[in-house]
Amino acid sequence: MTTADGLVVRTAAGAVHGRGEDGLTVFRGIPFAEPPVGEARFGAPRPVRAWEGTREAYEFGPPPPQESGIQGRTGTLDAPTGDDWLTVNVWTPEADPAARRPVMVWIYGGAYKLGHSGSPGYDARHLARAGDLVVVTLNYRVGIEGFASIDGTPANRGLLDQVAALEWVRDNITAFGGDPGQVTVFGESAGAGSVASLLAMPSARGLFRRAIAQSVPGTFFSDALARDIAAEIAKEAGLPPTAAALSAVDPRELTAAGEALGAKMRRYEDRWGQAAPTVTPFSPVVDGEVLPCTPWEALAAGAARDVELLTGHNRDEFRLFLALGGQLGQLGEEQAARALRTFAPGGPDGERAYRAAFPDATPGELYERVHTDWLFNMPTLHLAEAQVAGGGRAHLYELTWPAPGYGGVLGACHGLDIPLLFGTYEADLGNLLFAGSGVPPEAKVLTDHFQTAWTAFARTGEPGWPAYDGQGDGAGGGRLTQVLDVEPEVRPYPDEASRRMWEGYQFAALPLRSAGSAPGE
């Protein structure tokens, strides 16, 4: 039931009062599950209890406990505090049950340890208006609360939170003017890894019709690796790795243990292999139950053949991290050789293949290229190929327009698609990517390309370019990809040299190499 002005909507748990803003009605901070504290700590999300009267839905809910840095910034979050982390926000053109508009549900990124749906960079007003559809954003547990593998608790609690939020959408979105049969889930970076996980999770089946995965990270942990890392996090806190012990510590204080371990993960390379250089101790865990297998394995077996997929990456993904770490132009042959030996497929053969494929590349360029390929570009490409192999449909893109900020050296780096998609050029990461440049007209052209394609896909399953077929040699037809720039172009997959080197590579769950071995210095 809605009021005449559409500002009050009755959900299954109770009535909420939103606000009219810029031609939309916006509802913020609606709980979709009980606060995961006390007896509910480290458990699966519990259904929210009903409330009496009408709840004001004016402010975003508090962020889940997390480290101090968020969305490329550091310091204290400008956000509410409290335990009611599990909330959703809704932007709708018309809170009328008869409207039945398509619904887009956003899942934020942040290395599975940061993020908040109330971040200004995720303001969905422009997207909702551009597509005349309903946009939902959600909070989920990150870091230790959401992804640490702790004895006696379910794995992947952050993913289970996302499933609970999608169930809330299924059960309530009609009252906000949305169509529960036309739901598209979309996310970037760790949010894209979450989308890929949802495609593979039995508990998420039937909750969405379409999926958009922007810059899919290839890092998924084996159960053994995740438990070993969790034990080290507990050791940092001076505790045994049990739910009872960890629950005794305030969740906002416990984040310091994960942050401390992340800062020295590189010393664990002999023990944790490729996971160690990522400096984040969290990823989805292939536990065999919540997440039965990796997304690539699941999709190739047909698990998501009934879900339409749009996926893609940015050309220069890893350059952002080099810039933030002060490493641009500072990397030499030793670092390049080590990176190639660690991440290129085939070990020494892979190193030789990269050097042959990019003979004029500097050591820094080789270092960046193999990190970009291993962490984002090839996992994304392989997700599209697995979907096609499993009998499903996928559309592929690559963003090539360079970020104008930071002296123009960032290229088409990681995260650039967020301000372009949402039109939030001066918020969060956009502050860095557009710093000192203003907002050039080309950025608004790209925003129109993104919003037109994304909302068309949410409405029809067609973003405006041909589906990816996984065939061809890159010299002619096949493997068609939308290259997103000021002048978009459909062409065979652009990074053919990398594609060939990674052809046949299996993105398996990262293993534990040697439990309990002492870290190196």
Side-chain angles (χ1 to χ4, degrees):
M1 183 180 78
T2 61
T3 60
D5 61 10
L7 296 179
V8 176
V9 169
R10 177 164 294 280
T11 72
V16 291
H17 191 280
R19 284 178 169 166
E21 299 178 10
D22 298 329
L24 301 169
T25 305
V26 184
F27 301 81
R28 297 181 173 90
I30 304 172
F32 66 83
E34 283 295 291
V37 296
E39 292 183 357
R41 183 94 177 267
F42 299 121
R46 298 180 178 183
V48 65
R49 287 191 288 267
W51 58 84
E52 298 293 332
T54 299
R55 181 180 180 127
E56 291 183 347
Y58 302 159
E59 305 293 336
F60 292 111
Q66 58 193 264
E67 298 177 14
S68 57
I70 183 170
Q71 313 309 114
R73 293 156 47 175
T74 59
T76 303
L77 283 172
D78 182 16
T81 58
D83 297 331
D84 208 356
W85 316 323
L86 302 183
T87 58
V88 295
N89 320 292
V90 182
W91 286 258
T92 179
E94 184 182 16
D96 178 358
R100 309 288 282 192
R101 286 178 166 84
V103 181
M104 298 186 72
V105 180
W106 171 253
I107 301 176
Y108 52 74
Y112 305 105
K113 62 181 180 180
L114 301 170
H116 173 217
S117 64
S119 294
Y122 304 143
D123 186 336
R125 73 182 76 179
H126 307 296
L127 189 59
R129 279 204 304 264
D132 189 33
L133 42 69
V134 179
V135 181
V136 178
T137 65
L138 62 95
N139 276 359
Y140 63 95
R141 283 172 284 182
V142 295
I144 295 168
E145 303 297 317
F147 290 96
S149 285
I150 303 165
D151 287 344
T153 69
N156 300 305
R157 296 173 297 279
L159 299 179
L160 293 175
D161 292 344
Q162 296 166 18
V163 171
L166 288 167
E167 290 172 339
W168 183 93
V169 169
R170 177 195 62 196
D171 297 339
N172 294 282
I173 206 63
T174 300
F176 294 85
D179 182 352
Q182 285 269 71
V183 173
T184 297
V185 63
F186 68 127
E188 182 268 351
S189 194
S194 296
V195 169
S197 299
L198 292 168
L199 289 166
M201 290 169 60
S203 61
R205 285 182 190 145
L207 293 177
F208 53 93
R209 182 172 178 178
R210 300 182 178 105
I212 303 175
Q214 305 168 211
S215 304
V216 181
T219 52
F220 282 71
F221 289 172
S222 66
D223 188 62
L225 175 63
R227 290 186 179 278
D228 197 61
I229 291 175
E232 287 299 316
I233 293 173
K235 188 183 295 183
E236 289 287 340
L239 298 167
T242 65
L246 295 172
S247 293
V249 181
D250 184 283
R252 293 163 190 81
E253 296 177 5
L254 196 56
T255 59
E259 193 166 10
L261 181 63
K264 58 186 180 185
M265 277 185 70
R266 292 182 187 276
R267 292 154 59 181
Y268 289 77
E269 192 163 343
D270 288 344
R271 181 166 160 187
W272 296 339
Q274 291 174 322
T278 68
V279 302
T280 176
F282 308 106
S283 279
V285 182
V286 180
D287 67 313
E289 185 175 346
V290 175
L291 186 59
C293 60
T294 67
W296 301 275
E297 184 180 353
L299 267 60
R305 64 166 59 98
D306 295 330
V307 178
E308 293 160 317
L309 175 64
L310 168 60
T311 190
H313 56 71
N314 305 344
R315 182 186 57 202
D316 311 305
E317 293 275 4
F318 201 74
R319 197 171 302 172
L320 174 68
F321 305 106
L322 295 180
L324 292 175
Q327 294 178 292
L328 277 178
Q330 304 299 313
L331 295 165
E333 177 57 33
E334 182 180 349
Q335 291 100 325
R338 183 177 180 87
L340 290 167
R341 288 194 298 268
T342 300
F343 297 113
D349 289 341
E351 179 182 359
R352 286 190 290 270
Y354 263 88
R355 293 184 185 280
F358 304 101
D360 299 324
T362 66
E365 289 167 344
L366 285 170
Y367 183 97
E368 177 191 330
R369 182 74 261 161
V370 73
H371 275 87
T372 287
D373 285 345
W374 176 78
L375 189 55
F376 294 112
N377 289 16
M378 294 303 105
T380 302
L381 172 65
H382 284 213
L383 193 74
E385 294 190 335
Q387 175 72 341
V388 173
R393 200 158 183 264
H395 290 80
L396 186 66
Y397 73 89
E398 178 176 89
L399 174 64
T400 57
W401 185 75
Y406 214 88
V409 300
L410 289 174
C413 67
H414 190 67
L416 178 58
D417 46 318
I418 297 175
L420 293 177
L421 172 61
F422 284 94
T424 50
Y425 316 109
E426 298 174 351
D428 298 331
L429 194 56
N431 282 323
L432 172 67
L433 300 179
F434 291 86
S437 69
V439 182
E442 293 84 357
K444 296 182 180 181
V445 172
L446 264 294
T447 292
D448 182 65
H449 293 333
F450 267 99
Q451 292 185 347
T452 298
W454 266 231
T455 59
F457 180 77
R459 190 175 297 277
T460 68
E462 295 287 346
W465 63 86
Y468 184 83
D469 64 6
Q471 302 295 321
D473 60 3
R479 303 190 190 277
L480 294 179
T481 304
Q482 175 79 317
V483 176
L484 284 168
D485 212 311
V486 176
E487 295 292 337
E489 177 189 9
V490 176
R491 52 173 293 194
Y493 182 67
D495 304 321
E496 178 64 8
S498 292
R499 185 197 70 78
R500 283 180 175 273
M501 285 187 286
W502 289 82
E503 193 168 24
Y505 181 84
Q506 300 297 315
F507 282 93
L510 299 179
L512 175 65
R513 285 187 173 178
S514 55
S517 61
E521 294 299 328

